[in-house]
Every structure is written in structure tokens, then in C-alpha cells.
């Protein structure tokens, strides 16, 4: 574990390789798991405020679930998360023409309809951050659904922290990321 600012970063974040291979996994991270995507209070407010910008991308069943459950829910662990359809699929996801599960919020972002890209927990996946009173635990969550991403990352020799540079900067800032790179150089050089 490496401490950078308030974050305690697992060595796996430096040592594991990853590059999402969405053509193989088909967006499984939007449908697998025992709960919706973790949300901050601010993200829940943004989703509700900007729902109209991506609502038309959602299947009717998903829209009915939003009407029924709301824009966010509290899961069995007491965490604020995205609602699920059939207790499985994120309500804000849809299948594209290639049969790949995509994020409607992110599509609206890329179309310039909203400034909110998607929940940071989704953007950082497969890194999971647990926020405690005095520090954040930054860990790699190794799941079977991401096996193609590990294989692709290994082939490209792309460390997880480099693959997730953009969301890590969004979460902690550019200066923090520079410190992360310095730590990575030290760890990976074998010193």
C-alpha cells in the first residue's frame, strides 16, 4: 500500500495490467454485481437534474423503473446507488446496435447534452474506492467479467493506473496523479 494525499493505494493499481475490451465483455460491469453503481450525493442530484438529457436513450422498462424507484436508491448496505432493472442491470444502461451495454448518461455527455459524464465509480471501474473518515482505500477489484480486459492490458503492457488516468485525475486532481506516477516509477523499478 502506498499513501498519496488522503488515498491509500493498493500495489495492484500499479502492478496489474488492464485495458477494457468491451467487444468481448459487452459491458458486463453494467449488469453484474449485487447492487447498483455507487453514487455520491452530488452525482445523485446531477442525475436527477439531467435525466431529461438521456431519458430518450433508455428502454421503456428502464424509464418505468426510474418512475417507480426514483433516480437513486439506498442498497442493503446503506449505500447510495443507481437503481437496477430486474435487480440486475443498471437502469441508466441500454444496448447499442452491436449488443453492447452502454451508459446513457455518458452518451448524452459525448453528445454535449450534459456536463456530467457518469458516476465516478463507473468511470474508475475496476478500481473501487472506499471512503473512510481519515483516508480513502483505493483498490483493484479483480472480477471474472474483466478477464478480457486483463488479457488485453497484459498484451499492451498497460498498467491499471495509466488506463484509468482520466478518472483518477477527475477524482483526486492532476497533482495527485503526478505523485501517483512518481510512486509507480519507484515501485515498478524494483527499488
Amino acid at each position: 500500500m502506498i499513501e498519496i494525499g488522503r488515498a491509500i493505494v493498493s500495489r495492484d493499481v500499479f502492478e496489474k495490467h488492464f485495458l477494457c475490451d468491451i467487444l468481448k465483455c459487452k459491458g458486463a460491469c453494467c449488469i453484474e454485481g449485487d447492487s447498483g453503481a455507487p453514487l455520491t450525493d452530488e452525482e445523485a442530484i446531477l442525475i436527477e437534474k439531467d435525466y431529461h438529457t438521456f431519458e430518450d436513450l433508455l428502454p421503456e422498462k428502464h424509464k418505468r423503473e426510474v418512475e417507480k424507484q426514483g433516480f437513486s436508491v439506498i442498497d442493503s448496505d446503506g449505500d447510495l446507488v443507481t437503481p437496477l432493472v430486474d435487480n440486475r442491470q443498471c437502469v441508466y444502461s441500454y444496448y447499442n446496435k452491436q449488443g453492447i451495454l452502454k451508459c446513457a448518461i455518458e452518451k448524452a455527455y459525448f453528445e454535449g447534452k450534459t456536463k456530467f459524464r457518469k458516476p465516478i465509480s463507473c468511470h474508475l471501474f475496476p478500481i473501487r474506492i472506499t471512503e473512510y473518515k481519515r483516508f480513502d482505500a483505493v483498490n483493484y477489484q479483480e472480477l471474472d467479467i474483466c478477464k478480457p480486459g486483463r488479457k488485453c492490458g497484459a498484451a499492451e503492457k498497460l498498467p491499471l493506473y495509466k488506463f484509468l488516468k482520466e478518472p483518477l485525475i477527475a477524482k483526486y486532481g492532476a497533482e495527485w496523479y503526478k505523485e501517483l506516477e512518481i510512486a509507480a516509477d519507484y515501485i515498478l523499478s524494483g527499488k
Side-chain angles (χ1 to χ4, degrees):
M1 299 290 232
I2 305 298
E3 185 176 355
I4 303 170
R6 72 167 272 119
I8 307 293
V9 184
S10 164
R11 289 180 69 97
D12 286 346
V13 172
F14 303 103
E15 296 170 347
K16 300 287 183 174
H17 292 95
F18 195 86
L19 177 58
C20 187
D21 191 349
I22 199 156
L23 295 177
K24 295 242 172 76
C25 75
K26 304 284 188 199
C29 56
C30 295
I31 200 168
E32 295 296 331
D34 56 4
S35 186
L39 296 172
T40 65
D41 291 338
E42 296 80 20
E43 289 171 336
I45 291 166
L46 285 170
I47 287 171
E48 183 172 357
K49 180 176 90 52
D50 291 351
Y51 180 69
H52 69 279
T53 67
F54 56 85
E55 178 182 12
D56 61 324
L57 299 168
L58 300 175
E60 288 304 317
K61 185 175 185 178
H62 293 219
K63 293 177 191 177
R64 286 192 301 274
E65 285 300 319
V66 170
E67 288 172 19
K68 185 171 123 185
Q69 297 183 53
F71 298 99
S72 59
V73 297
I74 303 295
D75 70 5
S76 60
D77 293 329
D79 297 323
L80 185 64
V81 298
T82 60
L84 298 176
V85 176
D86 296 329
N87 208 27
R88 195 152 184 251
Q89 182 179 345
C90 177
V91 77
Y92 301 119
S93 64
Y94 69 97
Y95 284 98
N96 71 8
K97 292 176 184 169
Q98 293 77 33
I100 296 171
L101 207 51
K102 303 291 275 184
C103 177
I105 301 168
E106 188 169 44
K107 183 169 175 44
Y109 169 83
F110 283 123
E111 291 176 352
K113 296 177 181 175
T114 177
K115 291 182 180 179
F116 176 54
R117 181 164 178 175
K118 62 180 169 182
I120 194 70
S121 66
C122 299
H123 204 182
L124 282 166
F125 192 79
I127 284 180
R128 284 292 185 217
I129 297 175
T130 306
E131 295 181 357
Y132 296 99
K133 193 174 191 173
R134 299 184 192 274
F135 68 94
D136 293 351
V138 180
N139 292 295
Y140 167 51
Q141 184 178 15
E142 189 170 320
L143 298 173
D144 285 344
I145 60 170
C146 292
K147 202 175 280 183
R150 288 191 297 277
K151 187 175 179 182
C152 193
E156 296 294 322
K157 296 182 173 62
L158 182 65
L160 182 60
Y161 78 94
K162 286 187 179 180
F163 171 68
L164 293 174
K165 178 179 180 176
E166 183 182 349
L168 284 168
I169 290 173
K171 176 72 176 170
Y172 292 112
E175 287 303 314
W176 182 92
Y177 190 82
K178 286 178 188 174
E179 290 183 43
L180 184 78
E181 289 179 312
I182 291 166
D185 288 344
Y186 179 79
I187 289 168
L188 299 175
S189 70
K191 294 180 182 176

